[in-house]
Amino acid sequence: MKKLIYTLLACLLLTSGLHLSAQQRVEPEAKKEGVKRVICFGDSITGHLPYINYQGQYFKFADLLDLMLKGHLGMDKVEVLNAGYAGDKTYKGGDKPGALPRLEKDIISKTPDICIVMYGANDSKKTEADIKTTEKNLIEIVNKLKAAKIKPLLVIYHKTVPNPKHPGKAWVHIDKTAPAIEAAAKATETPIRGMRPFFEAALKKYPAWQLVNRVGGIRLNRRGELVY
């Protein structure tokens, strides 16, 4: 019985340690010679907090992309880092730092070769002026990345899946972000990837809740991470 109790306590301590380490920011090391660095820059779809140890609990699409690229190019040729920040906007708001204010610290100073940018879902979209603000901020982000010799890729969010029991809780306003992202890509001549077609194809094969969770129908579940 004592051995069982000690084992259970050890498991509790281990899982507690995992939870604590998941919230601890670990600054990436300087990029090594010959290694291509990709940074995923976004909100909660991308990650919880930038540069934290969460892989002991779950994987995000940035981690899957890292494994895929390493399998294709070689373990010592590429790395993918996650700079997602849950609830973040393109601008500073509330307790969130904002993409523009943290761009230098979280992206440019890490000297990536490529930055995958998916932002705007949390911005206010009550008016046309709000959408224009998102567009303007994305243009500024892209221009600053290019000035730092970092190649940007803009990403349009996937399809929102309403919960049949609570259809009003779906984040349908996310669709209003797409025109701002498209306009920013056009204005800056930046490559763009829309995720909606891939999600629509996946929805024909798999239940919606394998792709996204039931709260809001937007945050990714495991199969959704794979689609990304």
Side-chain angles (χ1 to χ4, degrees):
M1 180 60 73
K2 283 185 177 179
K3 185 178 286 187
L4 176 61
I5 291 171
Y6 290 146
T7 302
L8 290 172
L9 284 171
C11 289
L12 285 171
L13 286 170
L14 178 60
T15 54
S16 296
L18 283 173
H19 178 72
L20 288 172
S21 66
Q23 305 304 314
Q24 183 179 356
R25 178 170 170 129
V26 179
E27 294 296 332
E29 296 179 358
K31 186 175 65 175
K32 296 178 182 176
E33 186 71 28
V35 176
K36 293 288 185 183
R37 174 173 283 182
V38 180
I39 296 182
C40 297
F41 186 42
D43 49 41
S44 62
I45 307 300
T46 301
H48 177 52
L49 290 171
Y51 308 123
I52 60 171
N53 293 322
Y54 60 80
Q55 288 85 356
Q57 297 173 306
Y58 54 86
F59 265 22
K60 296 293 292 176
F61 72 82
D63 306 296
L64 302 177
L65 179 62
D66 182 63
L67 293 171
M68 291 170 69
L69 289 176
K70 283 177 176 172
H72 183 64
L73 301 173
M75 289 293 292
D76 59 346
K77 299 296 184 183
V78 64
E79 62 180 352
V80 181
L81 305 179
N82 193 334
Y85 199 120
D88 207 20
K89 303 172 173 62
T90 60
Y91 49 86
K92 180 175 174 55
D95 62 343
K96 308 304 179 185
L100 268 171
R102 72 184 185 96
L103 183 64
E104 176 61 41
K105 176 183 177 183
D106 284 346
I107 307 299
I108 294 175
S109 69
K110 312 308 179 197
T111 62
D113 299 280
I114 297 170
C115 181
I116 300 173
V117 182
M118 185 169 62
Y119 254 107
N122 296 300
D123 289 14
S124 175
K125 298 178 206 64
K126 295 178 181 177
T127 67
E128 286 296 320
D130 292 335
I131 299 171
K132 279 294 182 182
T133 296
T134 301
E135 177 188 333
K136 173 178 171 292
N137 290 341
L138 288 172
I139 289 173
E140 187 172 351
I141 288 167
V142 167
N143 286 336
K144 286 186 174 182
L145 289 172
K146 288 185 175 182
K149 308 300 182 186
I150 299 167
K151 295 180 179 179
L153 169 65
L154 286 169
V155 179
I156 297 176
Y157 293 86
H158 54 275
K159 178 186 178 84
T160 300
V161 183
N163 186 333
K165 294 182 179 179
H166 304 284
K169 292 192 175 182
W171 288 14
V172 292
H173 68 269
I174 195 173
D175 293 336
K176 296 181 180 179
T177 306
I181 300 172
E182 290 173 335
K186 184 176 181 180
T188 57
E189 298 183 338
T190 297
I192 187 169
R193 172 66 74 186
M195 295 308 299
R196 186 163 185 152
F198 301 101
F199 253 66
E200 288 178 339
L203 284 168
K204 294 177 181 178
K205 296 181 180 180
Y206 308 106
W209 312 121
Q210 288 186 14
L211 296 165
V212 294
N213 68 22
R214 295 178 184 272
V215 181
I218 181 172
R219 292 185 182 88
L220 303 177
N221 273 345
R222 283 175 290 182
R223 197 175 293 279
E225 302 285 1
L226 285 168
V227 171
Y228 263 76

